[in-house]
Amino acid sequence: MAFLRSITKPETVPLILGQGVYLRMPQHGDYSAWAGLREDSRSFLTPWEPTWGQDDLTRPAYRRRLRRYMREIREDHAYPFFIFREQDNALVGGCTLSGVQRGVQQSCALGYWAGEKYAGRGYVTAAVRALIPYVFEELKLHRLQAACLPENERSRAVLRKCGFTEEGHARGYLRINGMWRDHVVFAILRDDPRR
């Protein structure tokens, strides 16, 4: 998408609307809400994520994160979004479309998280549903895939509700909380039915 590849400010990334949520690019002004939600949810998120750096929640690390996000968008490699609850604009989590592949593959990977107090309330499901048409209609990709730990039933339920098909197990697929872990791989294709 040429528009996204040429942007220079996070404010120009499109707003994506979903059922009771909206998604937009992280901005400098989101730091306090993001850091607070991540810190409050640390023990909840740790089993499902890569190891956090010691300075991960600091303002300088957040500024570096935003610079990396802008570079990845300009290069058409990844598209990060924060998820906000529509009724009060509360930051509830995030989604990232990463590993964008053009050429013969035409795919990307989806990752997502929710703060502990917002988990299990449908916000991530609504966000993923909103991102699916963005991937296929705006980014013009053919395949969207996601992976989760086999014991992460909540994440598996989100993907099934959104129309993803379970494709099997991948050994040592991602390094989670300091260990290479097997994952269950899911995917949805452009022509698959939407839910």
Side-chain angles (χ1 to χ4, degrees):
M1 187 170 168
F3 172 72
L4 288 177
R5 286 187 211 118
S6 65
I7 65 173
T8 57
K9 295 184 179 180
E11 294 80 12
T12 61
V13 173
L15 186 72
I16 298 175
L17 303 176
Q19 186 70 36
V21 299
Y22 63 92
L23 297 90
R24 68 161 167 75
M25 167 76 184
Q27 299 175 5
H28 287 285
D30 298 324
Y31 168 72
S32 294
W34 172 82
L37 184 60
R38 297 283 293 175
E39 181 59 43
D40 292 347
S41 304
R42 184 184 290 263
S43 61
F44 173 73
L45 294 171
T46 296
W48 317 113
E49 294 189 347
T51 303
W52 296 15
Q54 287 187 356
D55 72 337
D56 197 56
L57 298 182
T58 65
R59 193 173 293 274
Y62 184 76
R63 284 194 297 265
R64 288 192 303 273
R65 179 184 297 269
L66 290 183
R67 284 193 298 272
R68 185 183 76 238
Y69 288 163
M70 291 310 302
R71 184 181 67 249
E72 290 172 340
I73 291 168
R74 278 193 306 272
E75 295 172 354
D76 189 35
H77 291 166
Y79 297 89
F81 295 93
F82 280 170
I83 307 166
F84 295 88
R85 185 168 54 191
E86 188 176 51
Q87 71 187 42
D88 60 1
N89 300 313
L91 173 64
V92 301
C95 289
T96 302
L97 302 170
S98 63
V100 175
Q101 298 292 316
R102 299 292 179 177
V104 297
Q105 194 171 31
Q106 299 289 321
S107 69
C108 70
L110 169 67
Y112 47 81
W113 64 275
E116 184 173 17
K117 64 184 176 181
Y118 300 113
R121 297 186 179 190
Y123 300 124
V124 171
T125 300
V128 171
R129 283 185 175 137
L131 277 176
I132 290 171
Y134 179 76
V135 167
F136 297 135
E137 296 162 20
E138 299 298 321
L139 297 181
K140 308 289 187 197
L141 297 175
H142 172 72
R143 175 186 171 88
L144 174 60
Q145 71 178 37
C148 58
L149 293 169
E151 65 271 21
N152 193 342
E153 288 301 327
R154 188 176 275 171
S155 187
R156 292 172 84 162
V158 165
L159 295 170
R160 288 184 187 116
K161 286 179 196 172
C162 293
F164 283 73
T165 298
E166 186 174 324
E167 294 186 327
H169 281 68
R171 295 182 305 125
Y173 190 69
L174 295 172
R175 192 170 171 86
I176 301 297
N177 197 19
M179 297 172 30
W180 288 104
R181 299 288 309 274
D182 294 355
H183 280 66
V184 181
V185 178
F186 289 79
I188 186 169
L189 306 181
R190 176 193 295 269
D191 298 329
D192 285 349
R194 310 272 175 88
R195 294 185 189 161

